[in-house]
Amino acid sequence: MEESIGSRRVHDVYADVADQERAEYPEFALYDAQRELQRRGDDTRSMSGGWDLAKYMNLAMLRKIRAMISDKKWFVFIDTDTFIDWDNLFTLLEHLNPAKRMYLGSPVWLPGLQFAHGGSAYALSSGALDALDYTAQSPQDPLYSQFGFNTTELCCGDEALARVLKPKGVSLKGYWPMFNGESPATLSFGKDLWCEPVVSLHHLGDNEMRNLWRWSEEWKVKPMNSVSRSLFSRYPCEACAAIQ
């Protein structure tokens, strides 16, 4: 939904999806109901079905971004419960060429396809966004928001994104475990991960997010980036103690 949260403007990526196209997706009945509740000033948080509706978000979001922004090198996509170590992420990205068609994240494997797990965050270069054809269809065409791709039968918008990017020569470059779908409590700490930079973690609640951010800010005064071993020192567990 379109709204302001504090000083930030939240943009509705579905607002530009034409009525004719929305009619093709039964999941958009929820979106229409949400808009009506918002218009009346009612709370939408108790409504169900958001996961099914969300599969159309990834590609519609690219159209929205390209219409609004054209001068950025990288685009980073995160969930609200995803923690990002921005220093580590920027260090990674500054060594890569954004003019190339780059798609970075934690891979999920399907036969013949890898796609980035959205909860782990993923990054697209400006070159990757430029590879898509934004003018091949008009807004009144079927599947316009999805770049002509039928997303309905797929598991999620993350898969739809990868399937639209792949024919354009944009394939996922996996950066697991730096992009990680685990929380600090479930991360597989061990010697293989000790020196891996932490770019993202997932499934953090409000307090976990706040505490981890504070710890990360305190860690920045040290002359090193945060890696899994340093994170383990913040979140020790008895089962992992033997591998220190």
Side-chain angles (χ1 to χ4, degrees):
M1 301 292 105
E2 193 89 14
E3 61 181 318
S4 293
I5 300 178
S7 62
R8 304 293 182 179
R9 187 64 181 169
V10 178
H11 298 279
D12 182 356
V13 299
Y14 294 141
D16 299 329
V17 180
D19 291 342
Q20 297 95 316
E21 183 179 358
R22 291 217 313 271
E24 298 295 321
Y25 309 138
E27 296 87 353
F28 268 77
L30 172 63
Y31 172 72
D32 293 333
Q34 288 176 329
R35 288 205 303 177
E36 176 59 23
L37 286 181
Q38 184 191 47
R39 186 187 66 80
R40 299 193 327 234
D42 293 337
D43 195 338
T44 64
R45 287 177 292 182
S46 63
M47 304 181 77
S48 61
W51 174 257
D52 293 327
L53 176 62
K55 71 171 64 177
Y56 302 98
M57 175 182 64
N58 299 60
L59 291 171
M61 188 158 44
L62 295 191
R63 283 201 178 276
K64 189 81 169 181
I65 288 171
R66 182 47 79 216
M68 296 174 59
I69 305 170
S70 60
D71 61 343
K72 303 303 180 185
K73 296 178 180 179
W74 292 98
F75 300 85
V76 180
F77 301 83
I78 65 175
D79 287 356
T80 55
D81 60 348
T82 302
F83 171 83
I84 299 291
D85 187 310
W86 293 104
D87 285 356
N88 282 350
L89 177 59
F90 293 155
T91 299
L92 169 65
L93 296 182
E94 71 183 5
H95 287 88
L96 302 173
N97 183 356
K100 293 184 177 180
R101 300 178 179 186
M102 306 205 73
Y103 170 33
L104 318 175
S106 177
V108 176
W109 298 80
L110 292 177
L113 182 75
Q114 294 182 59
F115 66 84
H117 174 237
S120 303
Y122 61 92
L124 289 170
S125 66
S126 57
L129 263 69
D130 290 343
L132 295 174
D133 190 345
Y134 298 88
T135 61
Q137 299 170 296
S138 75
Q140 306 308 317
D141 289 337
L143 308 180
Y144 172 77
S145 73
Q146 306 299 295
F147 293 87
F149 193 83
N150 187 356
T151 301
T152 304
E153 299 302 322
L154 301 183
C155 77
C156 50
D158 299 336
E159 180 186 350
L161 172 66
R163 292 197 180 278
V164 167
L165 289 173
K166 188 175 181 180
K168 302 298 183 180
V170 185
S171 296
L172 177 68
K173 173 67 174 177
Y175 275 94
W176 181 91
M178 290 188 286
F179 288 85
N180 206 299
E182 301 295 331
S183 71
T186 62
L187 191 65
S188 298
F189 292 105
K191 293 180 180 179
D192 291 341
L193 299 185
W194 261 184
C195 296
E196 291 287 350
V198 177
V199 168
S200 68
L201 295 165
H202 191 214
H203 294 307
L204 275 76
D206 292 347
N207 288 334
E208 287 179 296
M209 188 77 73
R210 190 177 299 109
N211 291 337
L212 185 54
W213 179 83
R214 287 172 179 165
W215 172 82
S216 178
E217 290 299 296
E218 293 170 359
W219 187 264
K220 288 177 183 178
V221 303
K222 301 181 180 182
M224 63 186 76
N225 290 341
S226 60
V227 294
S228 292
R229 186 181 181 97
S230 59
L231 185 64
F232 177 81
S233 69
R234 173 66 177 84
Y235 292 89
C237 64
E238 293 181 4
C240 302
I243 60 176
Q244 292 192 84

